[in-house]
Each structure stands twice: as structure tokens, then as C-alpha cells.
Amino acid sequence: MNFSHAKNVIESAVACGIIPGAAYAVGRGNDVYLQESIGFRSLFPEKEPLEADTLFDMASLSKVLATTMVTLRFLEEGRLLLSDALSRFFSPEELEGAPEGRSSVTVFHLMTHTSGITPHIPLWREIPADQVGTPEFSSLVAHTILRSAPFCGVGEQVHYSCMGYILLQQILERISGKRLDVLAREYVYNPLVMSSTGYLPFGSNENKPVCNAATTELSPLHGYYIRGHVHDENAHFLGGVSGNAGLFTTLSDAVRFAQMLSLRGEYPDDTGKRFLSRRTFDLAVTDFTLGKNESRGLGFQLRPPLPALSAAGDLFAYGSFGHTGFTGTSLYVDAETGIWAVLLTNAVHFGREKTEFFRVRRLFHNLAMQYS
């Protein structure tokens, strides 16, 4: 197969200064058709080449790679139900002052982003810094989110909510008594042999001037180019382990995950054994928001019908599934052919207001489908 056009799109984006560099791959099932890394993991403050083991901040792709997968595994183990409401997991004190209907929001609503909970709250401004790390901190975070004004009625529309996924993280942690990074390692990365994937890859939440992570942006909040800790401000405030962001991984590990998705829940090792049951997997990629403003499964972004604009481009089939990350990461699987495409960049290196990259991503996904 000739993937020269897909390569040319990425190389051109690097040459034109749209992105510093990229690690990308295309395949189907266990087959890898294309896997390359080009450009730079950092241009500022120092120019350094992007290498095969470069770690990328997954941003919101963490929602699928971590929080969603642990939730689906808990569903299979009988540890929760999609119909379980927030009132089961959060105390009356934490729900005090919450808008009407908030306590009846379910795990299903959180995963499909139909909870009506506001997309974003700057938690680092709402909660005093001296509360971080205290026994009350988790409840303060929950209470701050739970009492926030609704963005819409429960179940009315899709409004993508990082806050909802932070609540989902707390639900998983309260059920298990373990932090999300531990759960993700036990339930996802160890089984899938994703040995370079995890939260807090350098053992702390401080910026690391010398490391193999791609540098994100010059942070207006922190005053330095972020490297070695999560770019998302809320995830950083929460200690680097968050339900909405915080995960780091390499291209090779992201490929392992994409292969599992392409095989619809089977391990990528030709054994036929399953990471997720077929019933669970099919449920996760079902379009539960037909007729609403976005197509959503359980944690997954789904390719909507044309002519709706999608990060997956124009040629991935309706119902194709995956997710994007604000830093410039994406992973999508075509629902009909099983073709998968992984694109990892640090597109925010030049500033988060740059939007030229979005077109590059759609072009890359179109070209990945040329040989389907």
C-alpha cells in the first residue's frame, strides 16, 4: 500500500510550521501499514528532534484510554450500572446546593456527555490552594462541580463536559478505594502491554526541563513551556491524575490500543482472547445521541452522518469511533473496515488559538482511508 499522500500531509504541516512534529500510524487489526515519527518534540525554548519513544500528553484522549476503559471493565465486573445515579456515590452534603435533577444524573449521562453539567470550571480558582492534598479535597472538588449551574436539562443535548468525567473518576475511585492511575494500570495498560503509558510519567507533577516528553505550550498560568506535566490546568491542579486528562503515552502504545479497538475488544496478540466482551464493546460504540447535536457512545466520539464536520474527516464511515485531545492527539477506527489511524502531535506548541491543524487532521484521516 502506498501511503505517500498521508505522509506528505504531515510532512507539509511540519514544514509549514503548523505543527512542530508528529508521530503517526495507520493500520487494520494487527497489521501496521504506516508508522513514523518526524519533526521536533520541542522548538521552544530548545529545538529537539521527535523520537520513537517521545511521550505525548493525550489531553482528552485520556477519557477513552483510561476513564472510559476502567468504567467498562467495572460494568463487566458488576461493580456499577450505567443507570446508577450520582446520589449513590455522593453524600447529601456534597450535593447540597445542586440544581434540581443533578442528583439523578447517571453514569450513562456522564459517559455520553448528556448530563447537562457545565463543560468547564476553573477549579484552581474556585478551590483554595491550601486545600489541595487535604482529606477534604476530593469532596470540595465534587461539591464545586455538583452545585454548578446546569448547561441544559439532563439528557436534553450533548455538551462535552470535562467536569462530568472528573465526577466519573471520583465514582471509580470511591467504588474501588484506588486512585485512577492505579486502576488504569491494573485494568488497561498492564493487560494490553502498554508499558510506556501512564499518569505522572516522571514521578511528580513538576515541569521537567530535560525529558523525552513533547513540549506543549508557553503556559499563561505557569509562565513556562510545559514539559513533563499535564497541559490541562484542572488536571494539573488535581495532581496530574484526572478523569478528563493527564495521561501520557508513546506512538507504539497508542497503536496497541488502536489495534484492540479495531479488533472490537480482542487483545492484539492473535490469541482471540478478549479485553472487553463483544457485547460491552458494541454497547460502547453505539450512537446513543441520535437526533441530538453530537454523536456519542459510551465515552467515544462517533463519526456523525455527513455533511456534519468531524475530526475523523469525510471518508470514515458513520459510527466510526475514537477521540481527540486538545494538545493535538487523536485516535480513530473506521466502523466498517477496521482501519485505524493514530496521530500524535504537540499542536499547541505554537499557542492554543491556532486552528490550521484541525484541517490537517481531517486530511490525514481521509488519506488513511484511501487504501481501505
Side-chain angles (χ1 to χ4, degrees):
M1 295 184 183
N2 182 3
F3 281 90
S4 61
H5 294 300
K7 293 171 62 176
N8 289 343
V9 163
I10 302 302
E11 290 171 355
S12 176
V14 173
C16 293
I18 296 174
I19 53 177
Y24 56 97
V26 177
R28 186 203 317 252
N30 285 332
D31 296 327
V32 180
Y33 303 146
L34 172 69
Q35 184 167 334
E36 293 195 8
S37 300
I38 65 168
F40 300 90
R41 67 188 180 197
S42 176
L43 290 173
F44 311 111
E46 303 288 340
K47 181 181 284 190
E48 297 177 9
L50 194 155
E51 299 171 337
D53 66 346
T54 294
L55 285 163
F56 287 87
D57 180 341
M58 293 291 100
S60 282
L61 195 48
S62 305
K63 293 181 176 72
V64 165
L65 287 163
T67 321
T68 293
M69 290 298 115
V70 175
T71 304
L72 294 176
R73 294 295 301 273
F74 275 26
L75 182 66
E76 291 189 328
E77 289 184 351
R79 304 182 81 173
L80 56 69
L81 295 168
L82 294 177
S83 57
D84 282 342
L86 296 183
S87 57
R88 173 175 290 275
F89 306 106
F90 297 97
S91 69
E93 292 75 21
E94 291 170 325
L95 285 160
E96 184 178 359
E100 184 178 359
R102 181 61 50 82
S103 63
S104 64
V105 166
T106 65
V107 171
F108 173 84
H109 292 130
L110 298 178
M111 297 189 78
T112 57
H113 296 277
T114 55
S115 67
I117 294 172
T118 186
H120 178 71
I121 299 170
L123 296 172
W124 69 95
R125 294 178 186 156
E126 298 291 323
I127 300 172
D130 61 6
Q131 295 299 310
V132 176
T134 66
E136 297 77 28
F137 183 60
S138 176
S139 286
L140 282 170
V141 171
H143 182 57
T144 301
I145 298 172
L146 290 167
R147 64 180 173 83
S148 63
F151 216 68
C152 68
V154 179
E156 287 183 357
Q157 285 295 344
V158 177
H159 288 289
Y160 180 71
S161 178
C162 286
M163 299 300 103
Y165 255 69
I166 291 172
L167 291 179
L168 185 56
Q169 170 196 4
Q170 289 211 7
I171 289 170
L172 299 174
E173 292 177 342
R174 293 179 184 206
I175 289 172
S176 65
K178 297 179 180 179
R179 203 167 69 168
L180 179 61
D181 56 333
V182 176
L183 292 171
R185 185 171 62 250
E186 291 180 358
Y187 278 89
V188 188
Y189 313 129
N190 286 349
L192 288 174
V193 196
M194 296 168 62
S195 57
S196 298
T197 304
Y199 294 86
L200 302 172
F202 303 103
S204 75
N205 206 25
E206 297 303 317
N207 202 48
K208 298 295 181 183
V210 180
C211 64
N212 65 335
T215 303
T216 51
E217 73 172 335
L218 178 60
S219 168
L221 180 63
H222 302 298
Y224 52 72
Y225 278 95
I226 299 173
R227 184 174 185 179
H229 76 67
V230 60
H231 173 267
D232 181 86
E233 292 90 348
N234 276 325
H236 183 263
F237 179 70
L238 295 174
V241 179
S242 183
N244 71 307
L247 197 71
F248 286 75
T249 195
T250 60
L251 177 61
S252 59
D253 274 11
V255 164
R256 291 278 299 175
F257 192 83
Q259 289 170 324
M260 181 276 291
L261 294 182
S262 177
L263 296 167
R264 304 188 78 85
E266 286 187 11
Y267 283 103
D269 55 11
D270 294 321
T271 65
K273 295 180 180 179
R274 303 200 66 85
F275 171 74
L276 291 171
S277 74
R278 185 58 185 261
R279 179 62 60 88
T280 302
F281 188 90
D282 288 348
L283 187 72
V285 298
T286 297
D287 189 346
F288 288 109
T289 57
L290 287 168
K292 293 181 168 55
N293 53 316
E294 290 183 33
S295 295
R296 288 278 171 180
L298 299 178
F300 286 94
Q301 296 172 341
L302 303 180
R303 176 69 177 85
L306 288 172
L309 192 66
S310 170
D314 306 311
L315 299 180
F316 272 66
Y318 164 64
S320 296
F321 45 91
H323 213 282
T324 60
F326 185 79
T327 49
T329 60
S330 62
L331 189 160
Y332 265 92
V333 180
D334 183 64
E336 292 182 357
T337 66
I339 290 283
W340 50 261
V342 177
L343 178 57
L344 307 181
T345 79
N346 50 340
V348 296
H349 194 52
F350 301 123
R352 63 181 67 188
E353 72 281 356
K354 303 290 186 180
T355 60
E356 299 96 328
F357 167 68
F358 300 151
R359 184 173 187 273
V360 171
R361 181 164 56 197
R362 292 193 291 270
L363 287 170
F364 175 74
H365 286 140
N366 277 0
L367 292 167
M369 290 302 298
Q370 289 296 297
Y371 303 95
S372 60

